[in-house]
Amino acid sequence: MAAVRICVCGDEGTGKSSIITSLVKDVFVTAKIQPVLPQVTIPPSIGTPENVTTTMVDTSALPQERTNLNKEIRKSNVILLVYSDHYSYERVGLFWMPHFRSLGVNVPVVLCANKSDLSTNGNTAQVIEDEMLPVMSEFKEIDSCIRTSAKDHYNINEVFFLCQKAVTHPIAPLFDSKESNLKPAAVSALQRVFYLCDKDQDGYLNDDEIHQFQSKCFGKPLGDDDLESIKQAILKYSPSSVTEMGIDQRGFLLLNKIFAEKGRHETVWTILRAYHYTDSLSLKDNFLHPKFEVPQFSSAELSPVGYRFFVDLFLLFDKDNDGGLNSSELSALFCPCPGLPPSWADSTFPSSTVRNEAGYITLQGWLAQWSMTTFTDPKTTLAYLAYLGFEPPDPRSSITTALKITKPRKRRKRPGRVERNAVLAYILGGPGSGKSSLLDAFLARPFSSIYRPTMRPLTAVNSVELPGGKQCYLILEELGELEPAILENKSKLDTCDILIYTYDSSDPDSFAHIPALREKYPYLDELPALYVALKADNDKATQRSDVQPDDYATALGMSKPLHMSVTWHSISELFVQVAEAALWPSTAFPKSEEEPVDRTSWYIAGGAVICAGAAFVAIWRRVGRAE
């Protein structure tokens, strides 16, 4: 909030102009002042604790000035409603508040009982109880109330501070005064804050965690006496919420409720804004979705700090140390998030990755799943890093430091390695060729001989160890009924690193699907590919095709189909070959004609030699002339 515009309203003679003058002059002006003061603007550097520009607009309650009054009310973002006697007090509920509602404005109202120096109604507490609380309970727009005296300069600065605070730190989104409770959205936001502060996830904020929380939110340490006072305040209302382990979530919420009840809701807002919440109690969009563009032919991957964060998160929530996250542990982990990422549901998580015998996702599967999410939808990974509380090593950096962008792979036919650690393979083949079983084998799931046609796309992701010990993440996708749509979509194919053409070596009609597919979609020839003859544990059948598979591959200048069975232990070697072909794509292209030799490096070297020779000649001639 860069500016606060206060519309000062009330009956004639209640002292509206005197309040403004007393603030500006810092003394009570005894001389007669004009009925309506001109607009007054106070810059942030002068008497504004909230560091905002404050504009005060005086108004008249006369009927002939009603049009201008309504215009100023609509332009304001807070209303200071002033009364000074019984008549003007009665008009608050009978005229002013209904009038504000009739204009359709939705701004906070600060109720001000002015001329307290003339009051005979007793002390402030009695006035608040007898006059102000009944009106506040009837009109929820009234944010706060205060007694002032322009003559005695009593609470003059404070009344405008309340107006500022009503805009910069509104109570309405946080607290329901009728129910005397925090509102559900505020509770949800504060629960997430507690979750992020509970570093060891034991359900309590210990002293160290409270000190870290204090430093993050308020930028200064919390004294031991102050910490003890906080604990005593909580103990007064909830003795079980403070133990030797620290303050539990109920106590943390209770503390913030006390702040809101006592008019210290700016403290609650300071906490929420430190954790990137907006005035509507949603996370800031630029926090959830920072600018992160992946250039064409490049991909996104987790950086080392990103992997470290997800490893630590897994280990923190694996409470039983069984090496897997069960449903309750996963639920606790994703507590501060709006559920699982939507793409995970589409990929039938957790069956899309590695699980242990009990069916729980392992650390290997956890990292593989996030690697796939980052590859296919990096913006989702960034949003969930924000939800889960990732903090970059450098506080000045963005959460995008958890990701990195790979070098673009523009010329896949040129020899060399593609610089990426996650690759995507589409599995193509006719019905019953064994594509789904290949996905099961990739995740070490038991073989099933029951045939189930694939309707929706199926995905599997796992890490593959390459020769030399280095690992990469391989994403296998069976396209199902969406195969025609995906193969016609060039942008989808551009994200694919390699195609796996599969056929059932025991079915004589299986291979014919592959030449027909390549003929129908000529762009497939622009992608590296491998040919795999599955179900090699059955008797080999002669294919009813114009060309037999081995001859077909040889004619393309490619390796003959790999004969594999998902029931063999050696099936793991297939996935290594797929990953290697994706990372060294020039080895897996159809070679329909002699590839031109790339002489770029020769030209560069030759040019360098010529330039060096010319320089030598020029120097030799200059030396000769000098002699």
Side-chain angles (χ1 to χ4, degrees):
M1 179 64 63
V4 173
R5 188 177 181 88
I6 306 169
C7 184
V8 185
C9 300
D11 287 352
E12 295 299 303
T14 54
K16 304 187 296 295
S17 302
S18 295
I19 291 176
I20 297 174
T21 306
S22 184
L23 175 74
V24 174
K25 301 289 188 181
D26 208 28
V27 293
F28 178 63
V29 178
T30 56
K32 186 176 181 180
I33 56 178
Q34 60 194 93
V36 179
L37 295 175
Q39 178 178 301
V40 177
T41 299
I42 301 177
S45 57
I46 302 177
T48 54
E50 299 305 328
N51 197 33
V52 293
T53 299
T54 304
T55 302
M56 293 167 287
V57 182
D58 195 8
T59 61
S60 171
L62 296 175
Q64 60 267 31
E65 296 292 335
R66 192 61 47 84
T67 300
N68 186 61
L69 170 68
N70 294 344
K71 183 182 74 172
E72 293 298 343
I73 290 172
R74 288 192 175 100
K75 287 169 64 177
S76 68
N77 47 23
V78 60
I79 296 171
L80 176 59
L81 180 56
V82 184
Y83 73 91
S84 61
D85 53 25
H86 181 73
Y87 175 76
S88 57
Y89 167 73
E90 291 293 331
R91 291 256 300 165
V92 168
L94 293 175
F95 170 74
W96 286 106
M97 295 306 300
H99 183 66
F100 298 153
R101 288 182 174 180
S102 71
L103 295 176
V105 295
N106 182 26
V107 296
V109 176
V110 175
L111 186 61
C112 172
N114 193 29
K115 301 186 180 182
S116 63
D117 55 295
L118 301 178
S119 175
T120 58
N121 294 343
N123 58 31
T124 299
Q126 185 178 346
V127 171
I128 290 175
E129 183 175 351
D130 295 345
E131 294 181 2
M132 296 179 170
L133 290 181
V135 180
M136 292 181 72
S137 64
E138 183 179 355
F139 300 100
K140 295 303 177 186
E141 303 94 319
I142 300 178
D143 181 89
S144 55
C145 56
I146 189 171
R147 290 185 85 194
T148 63
S149 170
K151 182 177 181 180
D152 294 342
H153 202 74
Y154 172 65
N155 278 346
I156 295 301
N157 290 342
E158 287 76 6
V159 70
F160 288 102
F161 173 62
L162 282 179
C163 291
Q164 291 174 340
K165 195 167 70 167
V167 177
T168 59
H169 300 98
I171 186 65
L174 300 178
F175 192 70
D176 187 334
S177 56
K178 186 176 182 180
E179 299 292 334
S180 191
N181 273 320
L182 293 170
K183 289 187 175 179
V187 170
S188 177
L190 289 168
Q191 285 174 335
R192 176 177 173 272
V193 171
F194 182 90
Y195 165 99
L196 297 179
C197 295
D198 185 12
K199 301 297 184 182
D200 55 9
Q201 288 298 311
D202 64 349
Y204 293 87
L205 296 184
N206 58 42
D207 289 358
D208 288 340
E209 290 168 341
I210 291 174
H211 285 303
Q212 291 177 29
F213 162 77
Q214 170 76 14
S215 297
K216 178 179 176 67
C217 295
F218 302 98
K220 57 184 179 180
L222 186 68
D224 293 339
D225 292 343
D226 293 331
L227 179 57
E228 186 59 32
S229 297
I230 288 173
K231 290 181 178 179
Q232 290 302 319
I234 297 171
L235 283 169
K236 183 178 178 181
Y237 297 96
S238 179
S240 62
S241 292
V242 180
T243 68
E244 292 181 357
M245 298 179 68
I247 300 172
D248 66 8
Q249 187 184 96
R250 183 169 181 268
F252 180 74
L253 294 174
L254 180 60
L255 179 64
N256 283 279
K257 177 188 171 186
I258 294 171
F259 287 146
E261 281 180 324
K262 293 186 178 297
R264 292 181 56 192
H265 40 281
E266 71 273 12
T267 302
V268 183
W269 276 117
T270 301
I271 293 169
L272 293 173
R273 286 170 181 161
Y275 285 87
H276 308 284
Y277 281 94
T278 65
D279 287 354
S280 61
L281 294 179
S282 60
L283 287 169
K284 292 179 180 176
D285 190 66
N286 61 358
F287 173 65
L288 286 179
H289 308 291
K291 186 176 180 181
F292 187 82
E293 299 297 332
V294 180
Q296 190 178 12
F297 305 116
S298 294
S299 65
E301 296 178 358
L302 290 172
S303 68
V305 293
Y307 276 117
R308 183 73 259 169
F309 174 76
F310 283 117
V311 169
D312 291 342
L313 205 62
F314 181 96
L315 298 176
L316 182 62
F317 282 89
D318 183 17
K319 298 296 184 182
D320 52 13
N321 295 316
D322 64 346
L325 294 179
N326 57 42
S327 56
S328 62
E329 290 168 340
L330 268 177
S331 178
L333 190 155
F334 283 105
C335 179
C337 308
L340 292 174
S343 59
W344 289 25
D346 295 339
S347 64
T348 63
F349 174 84
S351 61
S352 58
T353 190
V354 185
R355 294 179 289 174
N356 60 18
E357 293 179 356
Y360 306 148
I361 183 172
T362 64
L363 177 58
Q364 178 184 348
W366 173 253
L367 295 178
Q369 185 73 22
W370 279 114
S371 296
M372 178 175 69
T373 304
T374 307
F375 180 92
T376 58
D377 188 7
K379 292 187 183 298
T380 293
T381 299
L382 288 172
Y384 275 76
L385 284 165
Y387 285 128
L388 294 167
F390 171 77
E391 295 180 353
D394 184 351
R396 295 169 297 179
S397 301
S398 165
I399 58 174
T400 55
T401 55
L403 272 59
K404 65 178 183 179
I405 295 175
T406 64
K407 291 181 180 180
R409 51 153 174 72
K410 294 181 180 179
R411 302 176 181 176
R412 292 196 272 195
K413 294 185 179 181
R414 177 179 293 179
R417 188 185 190 280
V418 172
E419 295 299 323
R420 55 179 57 185
N421 295 313
V423 290
L424 171 63
Y426 286 160
I427 305 177
L428 307 178
S433 60
K435 300 184 293 294
S436 300
S437 295
L438 195 61
L439 295 181
D440 290 336
F442 186 45
L443 300 178
R445 291 199 288 252
F447 170 71
S448 173
S449 59
I450 301 174
Y451 174 67
R452 297 183 180 87
T454 300
M455 302 300 176
R456 296 174 56 194
L458 295 178
T459 307
V461 60
N462 198 354
S463 58
V464 174
E465 185 171 342
L466 302 172
K470 191 170 183 178
Q471 285 192 335
C472 83
Y473 289 98
L474 176 60
I475 306 164
L476 299 182
E477 187 168 348
E478 181 186 358
L479 307 181
E481 292 186 340
L482 292 182
E483 181 178 284
I486 292 174
L487 296 185
E488 289 173 354
N489 189 331
K490 187 176 181 298
S491 63
K492 281 281 188 183
L493 290 175
D494 283 341
T495 64
C496 177
D497 292 283
I498 189 167
L499 301 173
I500 306 174
Y501 293 110
T502 63
Y503 68 96
D504 179 357
S505 61
S506 64
D507 178 0
D509 297 315
S510 184
F511 181 76
H513 180 82
I514 295 175
L517 199 67
R518 292 186 66 240
E519 184 178 348
K520 184 177 181 181
Y521 304 104
Y523 186 73
L524 297 181
D525 288 352
E526 300 298 318
L527 277 70
L530 285 179
Y531 291 81
V532 181
L534 291 173
K535 305 185 184 181
D537 53 329
N538 296 332
D539 292 338
K540 181 179 178 180
T542 301
Q543 296 295 314
R544 297 191 185 103
S545 176
D546 294 340
V547 184
Q548 291 302 300
D550 287 4
D551 297 335
Y552 183 84
T554 302
L556 292 174
M558 298 183 67
S559 301
K560 295 179 180 179
L562 300 168
H563 287 259
M564 290 286 176
S565 169
V566 297
T567 61
W568 295 349
H569 292 296
S570 59
I571 189 66
S572 59
E573 297 175 8
L574 169 63
F575 306 123
V576 175
Q577 292 191 49
V578 171
E580 284 186 301
L583 293 172
W584 283 270
S586 63
T587 63
F589 266 106
K591 297 178 177 59
S592 56
E593 58 185 28
E594 189 68 25
E595 297 288 343
V597 178
D598 185 2
R599 294 187 173 88
T600 305
S601 58
W602 289 34
Y603 297 149
I604 294 172
V609 170
I610 292 170
C611 290
F616 174 78
V617 171
I619 293 170
W620 179 77
R621 286 179 176 175
R622 185 176 297 176
V623 171
R625 289 173 184 170
E627 292 176 352

